[in-house]
Amino acid sequence: MESKICNLATQFFQDLKSFLRRCFFFILSVGPMPKHIAFIMDGNRRYAKKQNLEEGAGHKEGYSALMNMLRYCYEFDVKYVTVYAFSIENFKRRPEEVQSTMELIREKLDSLIDRESVLNEYGVRVYVIGNFELLSNSVKLAAKRAMDATADNSKSVLLICIAYTSTDEIVHAIEKTYEEKSEEFRVLDSSGTAGYGLIGLRCNGENKDKSLIDVEDIEKHMRMAVAPDPDIIIRTSGETRLSNFLLWQSASSLLYSPHEFWPEIGFRHLVKAILDFQRNFSYLKKKREHN
């Protein structure tokens, strides 16, 4: 009997909190709302040390914080959410730490597609973004399962950056663009006009005012091309560095840096970020239009 009462009380408070969040959304939605929020989930290890938790516990607490934040974002009709889960630079950490983190990522990728997960509740499609050549087969298979299982979802999108850096993404996009236009380069090379550089190269003849490779050519080959540029980038732990994350896409993004570690992030931080976005919306809009 006590267990049933506790369950009912828990459900009541969850419903109450959800109702209050919807009230906040109703008020905030009077102003412009972000369509894409990106998160640099910084501070999991420092949080574990601060709380005297065992190694790896911080990442598990961080996953719980992520699930809560995804729910808040999707309740606020934020269509795109991107998370920086594992940088290419993180492979330089101790092998045992990298191995345990990769195992946790594989486990959590599989849990994302559980029937009762937040993703299924909100119709979220998953994209795993990064250099798959650097990932183990087990993580690659888990990523493919998550993407395949959610491929028909269209209401919202979650982009998970694993084995990712922005410089790697840009190099990859340039290489793919060059492959796509290799025949045009061969024609230029055979005509003796090579050597003008890869980007901004001018063609002779009728298209002399058009670059052989322009920004649009590169952008369509970016791994993040499936989403618009982020409106807000949130990095916890009070850090203001982007750490090689979405450098190409963040020229007109608002950066919000709460001092709390990632596992400590909550609903109030999201509300604060959206209020900052609305306060600076006119400036950000003008900046984006001129880029």
Side-chain angles (χ1 to χ4, degrees), residues 27-33 278:
I27 296 169
L28 288 173
S29 62
V30 174
M33 294 292 289
Q278 292 179 337

Side-chain angles (χ1 to χ4, degrees), residues 102-103 106 109-110 135-143 145:
M102 282 291 133
E103 180 58 30
R106 183 204 60 74
L109 282 171
D110 282 334
L135 297 174
S136 65
N137 285 333
S138 62
V139 175
K140 281 190 275 192
L141 288 172
R145 285 193 295 270

